């Protein structure tokens, strides 16, 4: 596995050394897969779903064919079919005996093949004559993979299939029945749009109802992340105090991506010890890089919507957006206007509804950097 240039990578998976904790989640997912259970993996954005899937793949061992597919990149069933075939091909490419069988089968479909110049992975494009031919192809690919022994297919951002223009409900039902027929292949359906994914798996009207085990992942605890950060600084003969680490974790609101981003900057600037000045410079650098897009964002909505967004940022968490307290503190007028603005901000995924430990829901700005930037203005 390639080594990252900095022990706090912000893209990709570089092996367990650069991955903080998630031992419990990893074991529970592996145990489910080994015992024939399919999974749904829920988490808010940038908490570490995709990373965890690759971490699980890393630990499953060579016997397993591990297929990863980001459904968000498929805008239609045809895209999905092509991407799935390419993902299976890439997954079995490490295993020469089955690779030959899969390749021979795929060549009969006359694909146009190319290599992604960035990742080196294979891409392919087949010009399907009909929807029916696509279904047959997916079915054959899955059955072939199934005949190769244990395997797992992770369909990341699976809720995206709802956005396909074709009849996605019928595809959902068909896929569910295909999944059911496989003996050796397990599925991980993951996504960050909780309401869409949860509707697919928890509504009795939907084909995937009650067919999976749900795994929810949350923030990595502060003590675990502190130990991880300290270890990597020490490993490079650098120092960082617990106070500085606390500041990083608090600023990032415990969000994995933001902690990694902040640590990546601080690490790159540290020669001996991470000082408060280095932390401050890192934050200013992050703001400077995002400023233009935030200014563009402010002009893409009404002044009132921007004020509601700012009010939520200033509060951090808002449990009752229509409470008198909140409205008067920020001079927001009527509760009906707040609700309308909130609907707009939620639909653009600028504001997210989360559940706290007690199960109470609250609103928070999704992009923590934007939240911090609005707070300091
Ligand atoms: N346990 C971890 N330890 C260290 N870094 C992690 C960990 N989990 C994720 N990361 C890093 O944090 C960033 C965000 O993680 P990831 O992409 O897995 O999140 P996600 O929940 O899939 O996000 P999205 O909702 O955008 O798809 C990535 O750069 C990843 O490398
Ligand atoms: Mg992801």
């Amino acid at each position: 596995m390639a080594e990252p240039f900095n022990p706090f990578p912000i893209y990709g998976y570089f092996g367990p050394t650069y991955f903080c904790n998630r031992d419990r989640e990893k074991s529970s997912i592996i145990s489910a897969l080994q015992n024939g259970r399919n999974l749904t993996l829920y988490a808010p954005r940038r908490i570490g779903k995709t990373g965890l899937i690759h971490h699980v793949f890393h630990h499953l061992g060579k016997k397993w064919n591990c297929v990863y597919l980001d459904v968000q990149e498929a805008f239609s069933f045809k895209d999905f079919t092509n991407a799935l075939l390419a993902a299976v091909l890439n997954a079995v490419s490490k295993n020469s005996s089955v690779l030959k069988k899969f390749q021979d089968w795929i060549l009969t479909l006359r694909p146009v093949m190319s290599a992604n110049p960035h990742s080196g992975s294979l891409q392919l494009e087949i010009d399907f004559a009909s929807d029916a031919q696509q279904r047959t192809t997916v079915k054959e690919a899955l059955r072939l993979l199934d005949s190769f022994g244990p395997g797992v297919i992770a369909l990341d951002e699976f809720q995206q299939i709802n956005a396909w223009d074709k009849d996605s409900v019928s595809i959902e039902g068909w896929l569910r029945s295909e999944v059911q027929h496989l003996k050796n292949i397990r599925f991980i359906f993951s996504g960050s749009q909780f309401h869409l994914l949860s509707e697919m798996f928890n509504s009795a009207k939907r084909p995937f109802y009650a067919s999976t085990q749900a795994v929810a992942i949350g923030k990595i605890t502060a003590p675990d992340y502190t130990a991880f950060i300290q270890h990597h600084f020490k490993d490079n003969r650098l120092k960082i105090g617990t106070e500085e680490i606390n500041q990083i974790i608090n600023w990032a609101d415990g969000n994995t991506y933001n902690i990694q981003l902040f640590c990546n900057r601080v690490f790159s600037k540290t020669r001996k010890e991470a000082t408060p000045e280095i932390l401050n410079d890192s934050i200013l650098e992050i703001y400077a890089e995002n400023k233009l897009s935030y200014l563009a964002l402010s002009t893409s909505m009404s002044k009132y919507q921007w004020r509601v967004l700012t009010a939520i940022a200033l509060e951090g968490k808002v449990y009752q957006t229509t409470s008198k307290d909140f409205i008067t503190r920020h001079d927001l007028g009527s509760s009906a206007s707040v609700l309308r603005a909130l609907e707009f901000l939620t639909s653009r995924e600028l504001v997210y509804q989360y559940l706290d430990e007690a199960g109470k829901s609250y609103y928070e700005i999704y992009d923590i950097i934007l939240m911090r930037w609005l707070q300091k203005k």
Side-chain angles (χ1 to χ4, degrees), residues 10-12 19-20 45-51 220 256 260:
I10 49 168
Y11 304 107
F19 199 74
C20 176
R45 300 230 39 203
R46 292 181 160 187
I47 276 293
K49 296 172 297 294
T50 305
I220 294 170
T256 316
Q260 290 289 119

Side-chain angles (χ1 to χ4, degrees), residues 45-46 48-51 68 70 156-157 190:
R45 300 230 39 203
R46 292 181 160 187
K49 296 172 297 294
T50 305
Y68 174 84
D70 185 353
D156 205 358
E157 303 300 347
S190 99

Side-chain angles (χ1 to χ4, degrees), residues 67-72 74 79-80 83-84 87 153-157:
V67 180
Y68 174 84
L69 181 62
D70 185 353
V71 183
Q72 196 136 35
D79 283 354
F80 172 83
L84 179 68
I153 299 181
L155 298 177
D156 205 358
E157 303 300 347

Side-chain angles (χ1 to χ4, degrees), residues 184-236:
N184 296 310
I185 307 295
R186 302 283 72 91
F187 284 79
I188 301 176
F189 302 98
S190 99
S192 42
Q193 287 184 295
F194 180 77
H195 60 290
L196 291 180
L197 204 58
S198 149
E199 167 76 21
M200 291 173 84
F201 289 88
N202 301 322
S203 153
K205 291 192 211 108
R206 301 289 285 266
F208 277 100
Y209 173 63
S211 65
T212 57
Q213 172 185 333
V215 179
I217 63 168
K219 293 174 182 172
I220 294 170
T221 67
D224 285 344
Y225 233 127
T226 303
F228 177 80
I229 296 170
Q230 238 152 12
H231 161 79
H232 280 295
F233 271 78
K234 212 169 157 194
D235 209 38
N236 287 276

Side-chain angles (χ1 to χ4, degrees), residues 285-328:
E285 207 172 89
I286 294 171
Y287 287 154
E289 280 158 24
N290 287 286
K291 194 175 161 193
L292 273 184
S293 68
Y294 293 158
L295 291 176
L297 183 69
S298 73
T299 59
S300 74
M301 62 180 83
S302 74
K303 285 208 167 62
Y304 181 77
Q305 288 163 338
W306 185 251
R307 264 174 51 210
V308 173
L309 186 74
T310 309
I312 297 172
L314 290 172
E315 300 271 328
K317 289 184 174 128
V318 185
Y319 280 87
Q320 285 181 320
T321 47
T322 52
S323 79
K324 223 170 147 193
D325 248 19
F326 175 67
I327 291 178
T328 41

Side-chain angles (χ1 to χ4, degrees), residues 96-203:
S96 56
S97 64
V98 298
L99 173 64
K100 172 98 180 59
K101 283 188 202 159
F102 196 75
Q103 244 172 355
D104 287 348
W105 169 76
I106 249 184
L107 288 174
T108 63
L109 302 165
R110 304 177 175 278
V112 177
M113 306 246 249
S114 58
N116 181 312
H118 304 295
S119 63
S121 60
L122 287 169
Q123 292 169 317
L124 58 82
E125 175 88 40
I126 295 164
D127 202 10
F128 293 102
S130 66
D131 225 52
Q133 195 201 359
Q134 272 170 236
R135 290 189 190 207
T136 313
T137 308
V138 171
K139 181 178 173 163
E140 282 175 12
L142 293 178
R143 305 243 165 139
L144 196 53
L145 185 66
D146 197 39
S147 73
F148 298 156
V152 49
I153 299 181
L155 298 177
D156 205 358
E157 303 300 347
F158 183 60
Q159 77 280 339
Q160 178 67 24
I161 77 162
N162 290 300
W164 294 344
D165 50 0
K166 284 260 173 61
D167 184 8
S168 65
V169 177
S170 99
I171 292 176
E172 206 177 308
W174 162 78
L175 198 58
R176 161 84 173 109
S177 76
E178 288 308 318
V179 163
Q180 241 172 347
H181 283 109
L182 302 169
K183 280 207 278 302
N184 296 310
I185 307 295
R186 302 283 72 91
F187 284 79
I188 301 176
F189 302 98
S190 99
S192 42
Q193 287 184 295
F194 180 77
H195 60 290
L196 291 180
L197 204 58
S198 149
E199 167 76 21
M200 291 173 84
F201 289 88
N202 301 322
S203 153

